[in-house]
Amino acid sequence: MKKYSYIDFLAQCGVKSAHPGGMTCTERIFEQESITADMTILDVGSGLGESANYLAKRFGCCVYAIENHPIMLEKAKQRMKETEKRVMLKEASIEGLPFENGFFDYVLSESVLMFASVKKALTECYRVLKDSGVIILNEMTLLQPFPENEKRELMSFYGFTECYEINQWKNQLHQVGFTKIDIVSVPLEQKQANQIDLSLELDLELLDMLDEHEHILKKFDGKIGNLILRCEK
Ligand SMILES: C[S@@+](CC[C@H](N)C(=O)[O-])C[C@H]1O[C@@H](n2cnc3c(N)ncnc32)[C@H](O)[C@@H]1O
């Protein structure tokens, strides 16, 4: 039994933008949207709050962020102090969002859904979106059918509840009610280096996880990728 989950690892290492393509990808996605200051955005599983902070600053809109990992929350709170409390950060699970129906113009999920029950999480995201609302996902996807044992290896390392191919993602979204589902393509240059905010007392076991992660990325190179989907209600 492992001492740390992958999310513990990200939290302890303080990986600031823990999704494929990092902040450059987030910025490029939102360059293609028409965000105005009167809009309300929810960043689910917001980690250290990098994307939420960016959206609030860049567009001057109202941004909420929810997170359920204590270390992520603590580090995000510290970082948000430095950015003048523009983001409303709440401790909550994506499986039970503490917001009224139809509250948000946008929901953003960057590498989050597969850590939760995808169906419950998507149902909640759908519920809290306005009728004209949009969800943007940037999630890991299988680029080809996987043998069961490899799928299990991937799920077990990351702590995923599910692993989907592109069409399976689209089906999940259709099932909860999303109608217009588009793949977003974002030009990205080189692989981005991750910025980190290390915890003071870092357990060496976390370094083993770093090695294991490298191994997983090499092993599944070309077989997994990230999928950016923009879906309207
Ligand atoms: C890979 S990290 C991505 C963090 C952030 N979205 C980013 O791009 O930097 C996944 C995040 O989802 C959060 N998470 C996982 N399950 C969750 C749940 N049920 N409710 C809320 N947050 C969750 C984790 O704590 C973690 O911060």
Side-chain angles (χ1 to χ4, degrees), residues 57-177:
K57 270 198 196 162
R58 168 72 181 79
F59 299 105
C61 55
C62 178
V63 179
Y64 287 78
I66 65 106
E67 192 27 82
N68 73 349
H69 191 287
I71 298 174
M72 290 286 194
L73 276 165
E74 196 42 51
K75 289 189 177 179
K77 269 185 207 152
Q78 286 307 321
R79 292 180 55 69
M80 283 175 190
K81 267 189 201 155
E82 296 154 19
T83 54
E84 305 158 26
K85 287 198 181 147
R86 283 165 181 265
V87 173
M88 263 85 54
L89 174 65
K90 283 178 186 268
E91 177 171 5
S93 170
I94 189 176
E95 295 176 11
L97 293 171
F99 303 104
E100 293 163 20
N101 296 353
F103 193 71
F104 293 99
D105 296 281
Y106 277 83
V107 171
L108 173 65
S109 170
E110 296 177 304
S111 275
V112 179
L113 293 175
M114 286 178 304
F115 296 101
S117 152
V118 177
K119 189 164 183 110
K120 275 191 197 163
L122 283 177
T123 303
E124 278 295 89
C125 292
Y126 186 88
R127 179 184 68 76
V128 299
L129 274 173
K130 293 179 180 170
D131 288 344
S132 56
V134 171
I135 184 169
I136 293 180
L137 316 177
N138 180 357
E139 301 284 347
M140 186 188 282
T141 191
L142 306 180
L143 299 175
Q144 59 190 62
F146 262 47
E148 266 315 304
N149 61 328
E150 291 198 343
K151 203 162 153 180
R152 271 200 304 276
E153 185 182 350
L154 201 62
M155 288 170 64
S156 148
F157 175 76
Y158 285 109
F160 289 159
T161 58
E162 303 285 354
C163 255
Y164 292 134
E165 294 166 39
I166 296 177
N167 279 337
Q168 292 172 317
W169 272 116
K170 287 185 173 174
N171 281 342
Q172 291 298 317
L173 286 149
H174 274 303
Q175 273 174 30
V176 301

Side-chain angles (χ1 to χ4, degrees), residues 11-54:
Q12 295 274 3
C13 293
V15 179
K16 288 188 183 165
S17 203
H19 58 269
M23 275 314 295
T24 311
C25 186
T26 310
E27 288 171 19
R28 300 225 163 131
I29 291 172
F30 279 91
E31 272 164 19
Q32 300 178 27
E33 300 295 321
S34 304
I35 309 291
T36 50
D38 59 350
M39 287 186 171
T40 308
I41 301 182
L42 173 64
D43 184 9
V44 289
S46 49
L48 300 200
E50 205 74 355
S51 295
N53 278 331
Y54 166 76

